[in-house]
Amino acid sequence: LRLATKESSASAGSLVAFVMAAHDLTPTMRKFLDRHLVFPLLEFLSARGIYDEREMLEAKVNLLANTQMVDFAMDIYQRLHPDKEPPESMVEKRSLVVARLTELKTATVPFLAVMEEQEEIEKIREQTELIELFERKGVKQESFINLYHFAKFRFDCGNYQGAAEYLDLFRQLTVQSDENYLNTLWGKLACEILMQNWDVALEDLNRLRENIDQNMLAPPLAILQQRSWLVHWSLFVFFNHPKGCDDLIQMFLRDTSYLSAIQTMCPHILRYLTTAVITSHRQRGDGQEILKELVKVIQQETNSYRDPIIEFVEALFVKFDFDGAREKLSECEVVLKHDFFVVACLESFVENARLLIFETFCRIHQCISIDMLAEKLAMTPDRAEQWIVDLIRNARLDAKIDSEKRHVVMTKSTLSVYEQVVEKTKGLTMRAQTLSQLISKK
């Protein structure tokens, strides 16, 4: 997947083109995603207009080449070549797809007949009872594989709703040791993601994660690859589910097995972990502790992966370079705005990032000029003053404003002994659980 950015002059668009050319992760992410999941990313980039539209159309045609979505591929081909008819190979492939779909559908007719008996199925609680029901109706276990093949083919055709139903039924009819069981979990998760059923997708994600983590027979390298793929697929769910950021932090940062996979196979995922930590910083009781853990990880991977979001954290919490952090924040806005997964986090990220700059600056200075602060936050003085007033009003800042001198005066606060104990013991439960899991695995 090679895409060239549009030519741009030394205008406002030059910064966008430069930053995105250097920091667009789409080609990298492609290696860890099913081709059906890559298509939404290409659609997003097309809408943003960063890349040449003709190259985007060619990339979509190439992406669809190994799927059964022939009608869609023909439509895009005609947009790419409006004066040409679709090639004969596409027409022939369409006929083959229709014939194969009819053949597979015929093979699953007995399953459909049994599934129509909803009352009897709803009474079933055990897998063995469901299998016995199908066998009583003349559907043998040997034919269950037809259901899997039909579901997979429907998925390749872009019928995600139908594929999800059949994949879920096949999962219920088969055992975890079946060679197609793991593929069924991956397929079901992909279907729910593409249909944007985020609650169901989260359930499927957790089911798949549990299956991967409990597989003690697979080679370590295979488990590492599975976890790397799961990390990428989970981004669709975590950045669209209401509680997604918390789950992302728990999985990517607190679960050492997935953190190791990220550091080993895909350090670029640190962009999304960092975004989640900063975005949810004020909502978490352990926000400061999480931030400290993140900074340690970023320092460890400083030579493995870098982008404006990572460099913003480095500038602010490692170098304490406030001017550098302000400059990086501007680049962060460009990256977030043109990243499929985190574009919805843009406003929250910028707000929380400014607050982190302000909090860090206030730990060093007790009396701060509003004009200086406005410069550090890349805001006008009037807007900066109103922003600080809102912070004080919402009880998020213990300070007062000297209007005559245009200064913010920080109020000194000392933690009580009880608060100091609570602060020191935060996270001990989670660390104990993680240690217990590691011991039990050994």
Side-chain angles (χ1 to χ4, degrees), residues 402-413:
D402 186 335
S403 300
E404 293 183 3
K405 297 181 179 179
R406 292 184 60 77
H407 284 171
V408 179
V409 181
M410 305 303 301
T411 303
K412 291 184 178 180
S413 58

Side-chain angles (χ1 to χ4, degrees), residues 50-80:
I50 296 298
Y51 297 105
D52 180 76
E53 181 60 23
R54 186 172 184 82
E55 290 195 5
M56 291 298 302
L57 291 172
E58 289 176 351
K60 292 175 185 178
V61 170
N62 293 334
L63 190 65
L64 293 169
N66 292 324
T67 72
Q68 310 300 336
M69 301 168 67
V70 188
D71 288 340
F72 196 13
M74 292 171 69
D75 180 59
I76 295 177
Y77 181 87
Q78 289 192 307
R79 287 169 57 192
L80 187 61

Side-chain angles (χ1 to χ4, degrees), residues 51-308:
Y51 297 105
D52 180 76
E53 181 60 23
R54 186 172 184 82
E55 290 195 5
M56 291 298 302
L57 291 172
E58 289 176 351
K60 292 175 185 178
V61 170
N62 293 334
L63 190 65
L64 293 169
N66 292 324
T67 72
Q68 310 300 336
M69 301 168 67
V70 188
D71 288 340
F72 196 13
M74 292 171 69
D75 180 59
I76 295 177
Y77 181 87
Q78 289 192 307
R79 287 169 57 192
L80 187 61
H81 305 285
D83 55 339
K84 294 182 179 179
E85 291 295 322
E88 189 64 28
S89 59
M90 282 188 174
V91 178
E92 292 178 359
K93 183 177 180 179
R94 187 181 187 283
S95 300
L96 293 174
V97 168
V98 172
R100 179 59 175 163
L101 190 63
T102 303
E103 177 187 347
L104 290 170
K105 187 175 182 179
T106 303
T108 56
V109 168
F111 290 94
L112 299 177
V114 178
M115 291 306 296
E116 289 178 358
E117 302 182 20
Q118 289 294 328
E119 292 184 6
E120 193 169 355
I121 291 177
E122 289 174 0
K123 297 176 183 178
I124 294 175
R125 293 292 180 267
E126 299 292 335
Q127 183 188 50
T128 54
E129 295 177 0
L130 186 61
I131 294 174
E132 289 172 1
L133 172 63
F134 275 91
E135 291 186 334
R136 285 200 310 271
K137 302 295 183 180
V139 183
K140 301 299 181 183
Q141 278 189 266
E142 294 77 19
S143 64
F144 289 175
I145 191 64
N146 294 330
L147 192 64
Y148 172 78
H149 289 315
F150 187 41
K152 186 177 184 300
F153 200 80
R154 294 189 83 170
F155 177 82
D156 284 337
C157 290
N159 185 346
Y160 306 122
Q161 179 67 49
E165 294 174 0
Y166 288 115
L167 285 171
D168 194 49
L169 177 58
F170 179 79
R171 179 187 64 81
Q172 296 176 54
L173 290 170
T174 192
V175 294
Q176 293 191 20
S177 58
D178 187 284
E179 62 179 354
N180 295 309
Y181 185 83
L182 186 60
N183 289 337
T184 300
L185 297 183
W186 283 106
K188 178 63 162 53
L189 174 59
C191 288
E192 301 300 344
I193 288 173
L194 291 164
M195 293 189 295
Q196 301 182 22
N197 295 332
W198 304 122
D199 288 333
V200 180
L202 183 59
E203 293 176 7
D204 289 335
L205 174 65
N206 291 330
R207 184 182 292 114
L208 179 56
R209 179 182 175 184
E210 182 180 355
N211 183 274
I212 292 172
D213 293 345
Q214 292 181 354
N215 188 349
M216 300 300 178
L217 300 177
L221 180 58
I223 295 296
L224 183 64
Q225 290 174 333
Q226 294 281 346
R227 284 177 174 150
S228 301
W229 295 335
L230 187 61
V231 161
H232 287 79
W233 289 41
S234 69
L235 295 176
F236 289 93
V237 183
F238 288 149
F239 283 111
N240 285 284
H241 196 276
K243 297 182 180 179
C245 281
D246 290 339
D247 290 341
L248 184 150
I249 293 169
Q250 184 64 36
M251 179 176 170
F252 290 9
L253 186 62
R254 288 292 175 82
D255 190 323
T256 54
S257 57
Y258 284 90
L259 178 58
S260 296
I262 291 170
Q263 292 176 305
T264 305
M265 301 288 288
C266 45
H268 53 271
I269 292 295
L270 290 176
R271 169 188 294 185
Y272 303 104
L273 174 58
T274 303
T275 301
V277 169
I278 292 178
T279 301
S280 63
H281 175 69
R282 302 303 299 183
Q283 286 74 41
R284 296 180 63 95
D286 59 349
Q288 283 300 118
E289 182 184 350
I290 292 290
L291 200 52
K292 290 177 183 177
E293 292 180 27
L294 174 66
V295 172
K296 289 180 182 178
V297 173
I298 288 176
Q299 286 182 286
Q300 291 171 0
E301 301 302 317
T302 185
N303 295 321
S304 300
Y305 176 74
R306 304 183 67 79
D307 70 15

Side-chain angles (χ1 to χ4, degrees), residues 42 281 318 401:
L42 296 185
H281 175 69
V318 179
I401 295 179

